[in-house]
Amino acid sequence: MSQLDQLKGYAKQLGCVYFENEPMCDHTTFKIGGPADIFIIPSSKTTLTSLLEACQRWDIPTFILGNGSNLLVSDSGFRGAVISISGGLSAIGLRDAFTITCGAGIKLSALCMYALENSLSGLEFAWGIPGTAGGAAYMNAGAYGGEMKDVLVSCTHLCKDGTEGSFADDELDLHYRHSVYSDSDKIITSLTVKLMPGEKAEIREKMDRYMSLRKEKQPIEQPSAGSTFKRPPGHFAGTLIEECGLKGHQIGGAQVSPKLAGFVGNAGGATASDVKRLMEHIKNEVFLRTNIQLEPEIKIVG
């Protein structure tokens, strides 16, 4: 019996939902990606821990998936186990009057709504950012002058061998699109945010205003992984790309958004290869014309 067959049997024994040869294009906002050998949805942190221990024991490569919103998966897919925490790690509650603790798998939008319902301000900037709360903490997501570092106070995590740990405050090493987790294989399982009391109507108004700006300025009608490149110091990636005449440029089904050049979108039938070729072309053109090196913001897997 192969290691993957052993894992399938173990996932079934744990009561996990799993799928074989699961198309990753169905699990990413880019709508791109080949099949994962096995796609598992653990129901709790306990089952996640057991799965991680099993994958390490049987030497099976693993990838932890949130909402698939900042991700480009290879056309050949992923050889090993994709473990989706979106759904199983979604508990949320108040630690005290101003502090929310939630599972890493809960959608960031649900965390924002929970803050609104409890008249807590500070997360309005995150309204409309796709992805999970854990993913937002992982990359210190931000928009409209706000970042997770403004509200995030601690995270708990699992190591690939199933051991638990946590980081708090300065240990989180939060700066632009980076956290302590960005350079490790630790898996965020929960996070705690500290907010401020606010008026529901004012919080709602700010959330609506940011959502309107998002719809007006961003190509949300086209599948993408959000901002394709990080912001170079002193510049905006989208502005540099547009100034290089690349707005609307297309390779295969991958296209620099005609609406916002900072986004590469799936204009129809795009492959991961199309996206990677277009990203490389953008990087080369921008460097050639401006001597500025663009760094990808999206994670490439497989």
Side-chain angles (χ1 to χ4, degrees):
M1 182 184 291
S2 71
Q3 288 99 326
L4 277 175
D5 286 332
Q6 287 179 289
L7 181 61
K8 292 167 194 173
Y10 190 53
K12 187 174 182 179
Q13 181 184 324
L14 290 171
C16 299
V17 174
Y18 73 89
F19 304 95
E20 299 178 53
N21 299 313
E22 179 69 4
M24 290 301 294
C25 58
D26 293 339
H27 300 282
T28 66
T29 57
F30 234 143
K31 304 300 180 190
I32 293 172
D37 288 338
I38 182 170
F39 185 96
I40 312 175
I41 306 172
S43 57
S44 66
K45 189 172 81 169
T46 301
T47 52
L48 172 61
T49 303
S50 298
L51 287 168
L52 290 172
E53 290 171 342
C55 287
Q56 174 138 323
R57 184 166 63 249
W58 293 322
D59 198 26
I60 298 172
T62 58
F63 178 73
I64 305 299
L65 179 73
N67 200 46
S69 58
N70 195 47
L71 194 64
L72 177 65
V73 179
S74 163
D75 298 315
S76 60
F78 185 79
R79 302 285 69 79
V82 172
I83 302 176
S84 171
I85 64 167
S86 170
L89 301 177
S90 56
I92 189 167
L94 289 172
R95 175 179 291 184
D96 59 43
F98 309 127
T99 309
I100 301 172
T101 296
C102 67
I106 194 170
K107 287 189 176 180
L108 188 56
S109 57
L111 175 57
C112 293
M113 283 303 298
Y114 188 82
L116 171 65
E117 289 161 5
N118 286 278
S119 300
L120 293 173
S121 176
L123 272 169
E124 292 90 335
F125 74 89
W127 182 238
I129 295 178
T132 59
Y138 176 90
M139 66 174 294
N140 184 29
Y144 304 114
E147 293 179 289
M148 288 300 291
K149 73 173 184 178
D150 301 329
V151 297
L152 187 65
V153 294
S154 67
C155 292
T156 64
H157 59 256
L158 286 172
C159 299
K160 285 288 180 79
D161 63 2
T163 57
E164 297 185 49
S166 64
F167 291 120
D169 303 320
D170 291 344
E171 292 176 323
L172 291 165
D173 190 26
L174 298 168
H175 49 89
Y176 178 69
R177 300 301 175 265
H178 175 90
S179 76
V180 65
Y181 295 103
S182 303
D183 303 319
S184 81
D185 62 358
K186 295 178 175 63
I187 300 148
I188 299 173
T189 53
S190 72
L191 56 143
T192 299
V193 295
K194 189 163 188 177
L195 305 173
M196 301 171 292
E199 294 293 329
K200 269 189 184 179
E202 292 178 8
I203 297 169
R204 177 85 256 186
E205 186 277 329
K206 191 180 285 188
M207 288 167 67
D208 289 344
R209 178 155 37 93
Y210 287 155
M211 182 61 80
S212 294
L213 284 170
R214 194 176 297 279
K215 289 179 178 177
E216 176 188 338
K217 296 179 180 296
Q218 295 184 5
I220 58 176
E221 68 284 345
Q222 189 178 68
S224 76
S227 296
T228 307
F229 297 98
K230 294 179 181 179
R231 186 176 66 230
H235 300 273
F236 290 100
T239 303
L240 293 172
I241 294 166
E242 184 170 357
E243 287 174 350
C244 289
L246 294 172
K247 203 172 188 180
H249 188 77
Q250 192 162 337
I251 292 179
Q255 181 185 43
V256 178
S257 169
K259 191 173 184 180
L260 184 63
F263 282 54
V264 168
N266 182 350
T271 64
S273 177
D274 292 339
V275 174
K276 286 187 272 191
R277 285 167 55 215
L278 181 54
M279 287 175 63
E280 196 61 31
H281 179 68
I282 293 166
K283 285 172 63 180
N284 291 340
E285 285 295 306
V286 170
F287 185 74
L288 181 67
R289 294 167 184 258
T290 69
N291 207 37
I292 295 170
Q293 187 73 56
L294 292 181
E295 183 182 346
E297 183 168 315
I298 61 176
K299 187 177 179 69
I300 300 173
V301 174

